[in-house]
Amino acid sequence: MPDMSASASLAMTQLATLAKEVDDDKVTPGVLGFIVFAVMALAVWGLMKSMNKHMGKVAFTETPDPKADASGDSAKD
Protein backbone atom coordinates (compact mmCIF):
# COMPACT_ATOMS: atom_id res chain seq x y z
CA MET A 1 0.00 0.00 0.00
CA PRO A 2 1.49 3.39 -0.96
CA ASP A 3 2.47 5.91 1.66
CA MET A 4 -0.34 8.47 1.88
CA SER A 5 1.68 11.04 3.80
CA ALA A 6 3.95 11.64 0.81
CA SER A 7 1.02 12.42 -1.49
CA ALA A 8 -0.60 14.57 1.18
CA SER A 9 2.57 16.59 1.68
CA LEU A 10 2.93 17.00 -2.09
CA ALA A 11 -0.64 18.31 -2.32
CA MET A 12 -0.05 20.71 0.56
CA THR A 13 3.08 22.14 -1.04
CA GLN A 14 1.19 22.74 -4.28
CA LEU A 15 -1.70 24.40 -2.43
CA ALA A 16 0.69 26.54 -0.41
CA THR A 17 2.24 27.94 -3.58
CA LEU A 18 -1.23 28.74 -4.94
CA ALA A 19 -2.14 30.48 -1.70
CA LYS A 20 0.87 32.78 -1.98
CA GLU A 21 -0.38 34.03 -5.35
CA VAL A 22 -3.73 35.19 -3.91
CA ASP A 23 -3.96 38.92 -3.25
CA ASP A 24 -4.75 39.60 0.43
CA ASP A 25 -6.92 42.62 -0.45
CA LYS A 26 -9.14 40.74 -2.93
CA VAL A 27 -11.27 37.87 -1.67
CA THR A 28 -13.76 36.11 -3.92
CA PRO A 29 -16.24 33.35 -3.05
CA GLY A 30 -15.20 31.23 -6.02
CA VAL A 31 -17.05 28.36 -7.65
CA LEU A 32 -18.09 26.73 -4.39
CA GLY A 33 -19.73 29.95 -3.22
CA PHE A 34 -21.62 30.23 -6.50
CA ILE A 35 -22.81 26.61 -6.28
CA VAL A 36 -24.02 27.06 -2.70
CA PHE A 37 -25.83 30.28 -3.62
CA ALA A 38 -27.44 28.67 -6.69
CA VAL A 39 -28.67 25.67 -4.66
CA MET A 40 -30.13 27.97 -2.01
CA ALA A 41 -31.84 30.08 -4.68
CA LEU A 42 -33.36 26.98 -6.28
CA ALA A 43 -34.56 25.75 -2.88
CA VAL A 44 -36.25 29.09 -2.12
CA TRP A 45 -37.86 29.13 -5.58
CA GLY A 46 -39.19 25.59 -5.05
CA LEU A 47 -40.52 26.43 -1.59
CA MET A 48 -42.29 29.55 -2.86
CA LYS A 49 -43.83 27.61 -5.75
CA SER A 50 -45.07 24.94 -3.34
CA MET A 51 -46.43 27.57 -0.94
CA ASN A 52 -48.29 29.28 -3.78
CA LYS A 53 -49.86 25.95 -4.78
CA HIS A 54 -50.92 25.18 -1.20
CA MET A 55 -52.29 28.68 -0.62
CA GLY A 56 -54.45 28.26 -3.72
CA LYS A 57 -56.14 25.27 -2.08
CA VAL A 58 -57.12 27.22 1.06
CA ALA A 59 -60.77 28.25 1.31
CA PHE A 60 -60.89 31.70 2.89
CA THR A 61 -64.65 31.72 3.53
CA GLU A 62 -65.45 30.88 7.11
CA THR A 63 -68.32 28.49 7.77
CA PRO A 64 -70.72 29.64 10.49
CA ASP A 65 -70.51 27.75 13.76
CA PRO A 66 -73.94 26.32 14.70
CA LYS A 67 -73.14 26.44 18.44
CA ALA A 68 -72.25 30.14 18.26
CA ASP A 69 -75.54 30.93 16.48
CA ALA A 70 -77.60 29.14 19.15
CA SER A 71 -75.88 30.93 22.02
CA GLY A 72 -76.00 34.27 20.20
CA ASP A 73 -79.75 34.05 19.59
CA SER A 74 -80.57 33.33 23.25
CA ALA A 75 -78.46 36.27 24.43
CA LYS A 76 -80.41 38.68 22.20
CA ASP A 77 -83.85 37.59 23.50
Side-chain angles (χ1 to χ4, degrees):
M1 190 160 139
D3 186 21
M4 295 304 259
S5 63
S7 61
S9 65
L10 178 62
M12 288 304 292
T13 56
Q14 289 176 350
L15 289 175
T17 56
L18 289 175
K20 291 178 185 177
E21 296 173 4
V22 175
D23 186 14
D24 292 337
D25 296 329
K26 183 178 178 183
V27 178
T28 61
V31 177
L32 181 63
F34 173 74
I35 291 171
V36 169
F37 181 78
V39 167
M40 288 175 59
L42 285 172
V44 168
W45 177 77
L47 285 170
M48 290 184 69
K49 189 170 181 171
S50 175
M51 181 188 68
N52 193 17
K53 182 177 73 172
H54 283 89
M55 290 297 287
K57 294 179 182 179
V58 174
F60 288 103
T61 57
E62 186 174 340
T63 58
D65 189 14
K67 293 179 182 176
D69 289 341
S71 65
D73 291 339
S74 64
K76 290 180 183 177
D77 291 334

